[in-house]
């Protein structure tokens, strides 16, 4: 029995993110966790671990089972649990528009029913993927026969261009580029330099294709177990992050363009219809 006036124990939560926490795509999640830990002192605290704790490919199941209270994942990593998850990646409709037209609510419902998790927020919106190669290009035909590090969401697109897609973890890609196992990568606009890949990349194909979607999600049972005070800390931190994201995105767009220019990566213009061929 608690004594009158005794402080309730601080709620401790475990969160996972699919990629190393020092990379740019982890920064918004770290901002969110730091905000919760700052504003929720004495109420709720979150410990964030990357794939060294639970491999990225296993985090969706860990979230669903409650091993993780929270997880940050791109839809491709829980496609087995939520078959229509990649609608977010391949859509050119902004999250703002998705919320207005009801699509975001449908996505939230699917995640809740099939993954057992509450969708807190999405970031990466408006940032496309690009093809990066280790050679200069004179035409799109130069891509034919190249082996590129790929992802399940754009394997078909790569094959339509004559590219041989290879699905290897981001952490193994530096060595693959160094040894010539792959001759380029499919990757978002941000983060090529974070991984040291800019040492090998010579060309970025423009325009980009698809749309980055990274979801911060909360296990349904863990959410149900929170008090109103604890939920308010999470909700307030979510609203704060969403307000911070536009400035964050603008800063990262400028910084990554400057970094790629400095690394000598040149843009190859594939024409205005290129992105449509990915659809």
């Amino acid at each position: 029995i608690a004594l009158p006036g005794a402080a309730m124990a601080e709620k401790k939560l475990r969160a996972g993110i699919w990629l190393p926490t020092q990379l740019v795509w982890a920064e918004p999640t770290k901002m969110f966790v730091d905000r919760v830990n700052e504003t929720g002192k004495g109420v709720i605290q979150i410990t964030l671990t990357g794939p060294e704790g639970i491999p990225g490919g296993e985090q969706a199941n860990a979230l669903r089972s409650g091993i993780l209270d929270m997880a940050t994942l791109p839809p491709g990593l829980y496609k087995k649990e939520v078959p229509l998850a990649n609608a977010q990646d391949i859509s050119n409709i902004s999250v703002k528009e998705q919320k207005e037209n009801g699509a975001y609510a449908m996505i939230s419902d699917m995640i809740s029913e099939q993954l057992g998790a509450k969708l807190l927020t999405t970031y990466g919106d408006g940032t496309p993927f690009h093809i990066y190669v280790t050679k200069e290009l004179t035409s799109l035909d130069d891509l034919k026969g190249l082996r590129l590090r790929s992802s399940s969401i754009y394997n078909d697109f790569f094959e339509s261009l004559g590219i041989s897609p290879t699905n290897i973890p981001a952490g193994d890609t530096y060595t693959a580029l160094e040894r010539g196992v792959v001759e380029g990568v499919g990757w978002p606009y941000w983060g090529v330099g974070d991984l040291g890949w800019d040492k090998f990349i010579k060309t970025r194909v423009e325009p980009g294709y698809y749309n980055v979607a990274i979801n911060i999600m909360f296990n349904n049972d863990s959410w149900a177990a929170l008090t109103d005070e604890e939920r308010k800390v999470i909700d307030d931190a979510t609203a704060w992050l969403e307000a911070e994201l536009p400035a964050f995105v603008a800063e990262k767009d400028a910084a990554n363009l400057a970094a790629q220019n400095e690394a000598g990566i040149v843009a190859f213009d594939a024409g205005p219809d290129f992105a449509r061929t990915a659809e």
Side-chain angles (χ1 to χ4, degrees):
I1 299 173
L3 296 174
M8 291 187 66
E10 193 175 57
K11 181 68 67 68
K12 305 287 188 183
L13 300 176
R14 186 182 183 196
I17 187 166
W18 90 103
L19 82 179
T21 56
Q22 69 269 28
L23 300 185
V24 65
W25 289 109
E27 286 186 39
T29 294
K30 288 166 63 181
M31 290 163 62
F32 172 82
V33 169
D34 288 347
R35 182 73 174 185
V36 169
N37 291 344
E38 177 187 345
T39 60
K41 285 178 182 174
V43 178
I44 189 169
Q45 296 286 284
I46 298 172
T47 300
L48 178 67
T49 57
E52 71 284 353
I54 298 175
E58 298 174 17
Q59 288 186 16
N61 191 50
L63 176 66
R64 185 168 61 174
S65 67
I67 293 171
L68 289 173
D69 299 294
M70 192 180 92
T72 296
L73 298 168
L77 285 184
Y78 52 88
K79 187 172 175 60
K80 184 170 68 174
E81 292 83 4
V82 187
L84 295 179
N86 282 133
Q88 276 187 292
D89 292 306
I90 63 176
S91 172
N92 57 6
I93 301 172
S94 70
V95 169
K96 181 176 182 291
E97 290 174 292
Q98 290 173 26
K99 289 181 176 179
E100 290 170 351
N101 67 18
Y104 198 78
M106 289 178 62
I107 291 166
S108 298
D109 288 344
M110 284 192 297
I111 289 172
S112 180
E113 292 166 10
Q114 299 169 19
L115 189 59
K118 174 183 173 64
L119 176 57
L120 292 181
T121 192
T122 301
Y123 65 88
D125 184 40
T127 305
F129 294 88
H130 285 274
I131 293 173
Y132 297 91
V133 294
T134 59
K135 59 184 286 185
E136 295 179 2
L137 299 179
T138 57
S139 76
L140 282 178
D141 286 341
D142 294 338
L143 294 173
K144 292 179 179 177
L146 296 184
R147 181 180 288 110
L148 303 189
R149 186 265 178 197
S150 185
S151 168
S152 59
I153 64 166
Y154 41 84
N155 282 346
D156 290 345
F157 173 46
F158 277 15
E159 288 174 352
S160 75
L161 297 170
I163 294 168
S164 296
T166 303
N167 295 331
I168 56 177
D172 296 335
T173 302
Y174 182 94
T175 301
L177 285 165
E178 187 176 43
R179 296 177 179 174
V181 174
V182 295
E183 299 158 287
V185 299
W187 194 254
Y189 189 43
W190 305 348
V192 174
D194 290 3
L195 295 150
W197 300 346
D198 54 349
K199 177 180 176 181
F200 308 102
I201 299 300
K202 291 185 178 177
T203 306
R204 179 185 67 251
V205 178
E206 294 279 2
Y209 58 94
Y210 295 164
N211 184 54
V212 174
I214 297 169
N215 289 324
I216 301 178
M217 298 171 291
F218 211 103
N219 174 274
N220 281 342
D221 291 336
S222 297
W223 183 261
L226 297 181
T227 66
D228 288 345
E229 184 181 19
E230 291 161 353
R231 283 184 197 147
K232 187 176 188 306
V233 173
I234 299 294
D235 286 340
D236 288 351
T238 301
W240 173 85
L241 178 65
E242 290 177 347
E244 293 289 315
L245 281 175
F248 175 85
V249 170
E251 176 194 341
K252 294 303 177 185
D253 280 349
N256 279 273
L257 177 60
Q260 289 187 28
N261 288 343
E262 187 176 345
I265 298 173
V266 300
F268 172 79
D269 186 357
D273 294 331
F274 176 70
R276 289 195 206 109
T277 66
E279 295 174 1

